[in-house]
Amino acid sequence: MTLPIKSKIFQEIIDGLQAKPASISPKYFYDGLGTSLFQAITHLEEYYPTRIERGIMQSKLSQITQAIGTADVIVEIGAGNCEKVRPLLDTFAPKQYRALDISADFLKTALANLHHDYSAIDMRAIAADITQELSFPDLQDRRILFFYPGSSIGNFNPSEASGLFANLARECHGSGGLLIGVDLVKDINVLERAYNDYLGVTAAFNLNALRHLNHLIESNFSIPNWEHYAFFNQTLGRIEMHLRAKIDQLVNWPGGHRQFYAGEMIHTENSYKYPKPTFLEMLHNAGFTKVNAWTDPDSNFLVCFAGFK
Ligand code: AVI
């Protein structure tokens, strides 16, 4: 899909590319190839979050499901391959499951696979940009379990994350709640290794955003002219990913261009890592009145259920 000049997305991308320093939203990682590259990242030795979160979900499942109680509907945010929800579907047998993700095509295939094994559950794939307000008026009288695994909350800044929590707490109408996984602050070497893997999969994932932009706005980014750069910003508590220009170059798109100089960067992603108390406080401040939390033995990753007393 190429976008008509002046469309909202076209303008958002151009504004980011023209800014100093330049930036683009991490949502532009996720075309078909980007979604597959992210799936590959989750299998990497260096990328611990997926593996550790899965371990907590497995080893603490009975405590987690006990804290949750029951669920009429499970709404998974950033559902991806729709695989993480299986233990929750097994336990709660909800009437409905809704899978929200930015990449609709991938989601539909994943949901079809899941539905094959859970044919009694009404399942719907919803292509959603969760940076926008979420609203579920048709679920008002249901006990909703929002499920947001994978530490994708880290890709929002803390005030956006707090806004999303308040939005979800409101949509719960005093019952159900939010089961969420988040990455915790830890040794800087472990953090930086997770975003600089030896196989270069994260680099490919980052660079692929330029390929996606070329498709979306008909720009002419030359991928070999850019390199992946990721580091932990200790002051802000976040991994930052950037694309760095290797040489001076002019990048064109219909109706505009930008001269990039060697060393100049495009900021593509933040991945916030939280201290546990800060994250729990954010959930409480958003309106959840009861929060249970579980970590792995080394306190690398946190799974929380935020509900109501
Ligand atoms: C999707 N999100 C939680 C990943 C993260 O760790 O922030 C995206 C990612 N970026 C580089 N590697 C993985």
Side-chain angles (χ1 to χ4, degrees), residues 63-196:
Q63 292 175 32
I64 293 171
T65 54
Q66 209 182 333
I68 295 169
T70 60
D72 300 326
V73 189
I74 297 181
V75 178
E76 184 171 1
I77 302 170
N81 64 9
C82 299
E83 283 299 313
K84 294 179 184 144
V85 76
R86 282 175 182 269
L88 299 175
L89 298 181
D90 290 335
T91 307
F92 296 118
K95 290 188 187 60
Q96 291 165 290
Y97 168 63
R98 297 199 178 168
L100 275 58
D101 209 301
I102 191 104
S103 176
D105 292 344
F106 187 83
L107 192 58
K108 281 189 188 136
T109 315
L111 202 70
N113 288 336
L114 192 70
H115 195 243
H116 182 79
D117 296 339
Y118 298 89
S119 52
I121 302 176
D122 170 42
M123 296 191 171
R124 237 181 282 170
I126 303 171
D129 179 353
I130 61 158
T131 57
Q132 310 298 311
E133 177 90 4
L134 299 174
S135 162
F136 304 91
D138 54 322
L139 301 178
Q140 261 192 39
D141 53 347
R142 303 285 166 84
R143 186 176 167 94
I144 308 176
L145 172 63
F146 288 103
F147 181 41
Y148 195 14
S151 195
S152 296
I153 193 66
N155 298 133
F156 293 101
N157 70 41
S159 100
E160 291 165 336
S162 295
L164 176 64
F165 295 160
N167 181 176
L168 297 180
R170 235 177 4 252
E171 291 297 309
C172 282
H173 302 284
S175 77
L178 166 67
L179 180 64
I180 185 165
V182 68
D183 200 9
L184 297 176
V185 182
K186 60 182 66 61
D187 181 88
I188 188 169
N189 298 305
V190 175
L191 286 168
E192 292 193 337
R193 233 186 349 254
Y195 294 80
N196 291 284

Side-chain angles (χ1 to χ4, degrees), residues 223-237:
I223 315 291
N225 291 346
W226 295 84
E227 65 190 357
H228 167 70
Y229 175 55
F231 70 98
F232 186 61
N233 180 329
Q234 281 181 298
T235 314
L236 297 174

Side-chain angles (χ1 to χ4, degrees), residues 29-30 38 41 47 49 150-155 183 194-195 202 205 228 241 269-273:
F29 286 139
Y30 299 97
F38 177 64
I41 286 173
Y47 194 76
S151 195
S152 296
I153 193 66
N155 298 133
D183 200 9
Y195 294 80
T202 308
F205 173 71
H228 167 70
M241 293 219 308
E269 185 181 60
N270 293 317
S271 195
Y272 283 85
K273 313 297 173 185

Side-chain angles (χ1 to χ4, degrees), residues 13-24 238 240 242-243 258 260 263-268:
I13 296 171
I14 302 307
D15 288 348
L17 291 178
Q18 295 286 24
K20 295 212 169 153
S23 66
I24 55 165
R238 66 190 194 193
E240 292 187 12
H242 300 259
L243 289 161
R258 172 153 179 188
F260 287 97
E264 235 182 300
M265 299 209 271
I266 304 175
H267 190 168
T268 52

